[in-house]
């Protein structure tokens, strides 16, 4: 299964992956409308961690044995047996944040407005994740790579 792989040596910490993630998950799919007019604004599913001079985008790794799925008390998180992706059913999420605490990568984001979680869905309706497509330095790559 393809995953987003980070090349931290070329990440410049521009946060464009966060910006384009918000746009990809917005209703309008328009950068200006998403940031200026949509309420609530979607939360980015990738977060750039900074410890200058080092920066690292953190996102869901769609683990083979996901701790977040095991911790989910409502069954809102599950691993799709066909695609291998970890999926999130927002309607079933009760906002307990057990998955946030269980994820060893810190990749589950809290959506404070909706009191639920948000996590990378690999932009499944787009074919290629927006963060990968828009990264100016190609610090994010969508490829078959590792197992975790």
């Amino acid at each position: 299964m393809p995953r987003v792989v980070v090349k931290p040596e070329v990440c410049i910490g521009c946060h464009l992956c966060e910006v384009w993630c918000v746009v990809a998950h917005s209703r309008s799919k328009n950068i200006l409308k998403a940031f200026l007019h949509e309420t609530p604004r979607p939360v980015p599913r990738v977060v750039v961690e900074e410890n200058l001079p080092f920066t690292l985008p953190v996102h869901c790794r769609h683990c083979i044995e996901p701790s977040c799925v095991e911790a989910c008390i409502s069954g809102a998180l599950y691993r799709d047996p066909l695609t291998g992706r970890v999926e999130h059913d927002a309607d079933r999420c009760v906002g307990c944040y057990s998955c946030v605490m269980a994820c060893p990568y810190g990749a589950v984001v809290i959506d404070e407005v909706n009191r639920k979680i948000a996590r990378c869905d690999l932009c499944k309706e787009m074919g290629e994740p927006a963060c990968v497509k828009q990264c100016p330095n190609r610090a994010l790559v969508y490829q078959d790579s590792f197992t975790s």
Side-chain angles (χ1 to χ4, degrees):
M1 179 192 103
R3 294 179 171 92
V4 176
V5 178
V6 178
K7 297 191 297 186
E9 66 276 8
V10 294
C11 177
I12 58 173
C14 67
H15 295 262
L16 284 173
C17 51
E18 293 176 358
V19 169
W20 287 104
C21 182
V22 167
V23 173
H25 292 91
S26 69
R27 291 183 304 279
S28 66
K29 308 298 185 217
N30 177 287
I31 191 167
L32 291 175
K33 289 179 182 177
F35 279 88
L36 298 177
H37 303 295
E38 288 190 22
T39 305
R41 181 187 306 157
V43 295
R45 277 102 166 127
V46 58
V47 177
V48 177
E49 292 290 331
E50 295 184 13
N51 187 7
L52 296 176
F54 304 104
T55 57
L56 178 73
V58 177
H59 60 281
C60 179
R61 299 185 183 200
H62 297 272
C63 302
I64 302 299
E65 296 179 12
S67 302
C68 60
V69 171
E70 290 178 30
C72 182
I73 64 171
S74 67
L77 285 174
Y78 61 95
R79 186 172 166 78
D80 185 312
L82 296 176
T83 64
R85 293 178 174 161
V86 176
E87 300 284 348
H88 177 240
D89 181 349
D91 293 331
R92 293 182 70 183
C93 182
V94 296
C96 68
Y97 306 135
S98 295
C99 56
V100 174
M101 294 182 282
C103 178
Y105 302 105
V108 182
V109 179
I110 296 174
D111 180 348
E112 293 179 12
V113 173
N114 295 313
R115 296 188 177 176
K116 299 196 178 208
I117 60 112
R119 36 161 315 287
C120 177
D121 60 2
L122 297 172
C123 296
K124 60 184 172 186
E125 62 281 339
M126 295 175 63
E128 178 183 25
C131 60
V132 172
K133 187 175 181 180
Q134 300 294 339
C135 181
N137 263 22
R138 306 218 190 289
L140 299 172
V141 181
Y142 190 51
Q143 65 182 29
D144 281 316
S145 64
F146 61 92
T147 58
S148 60

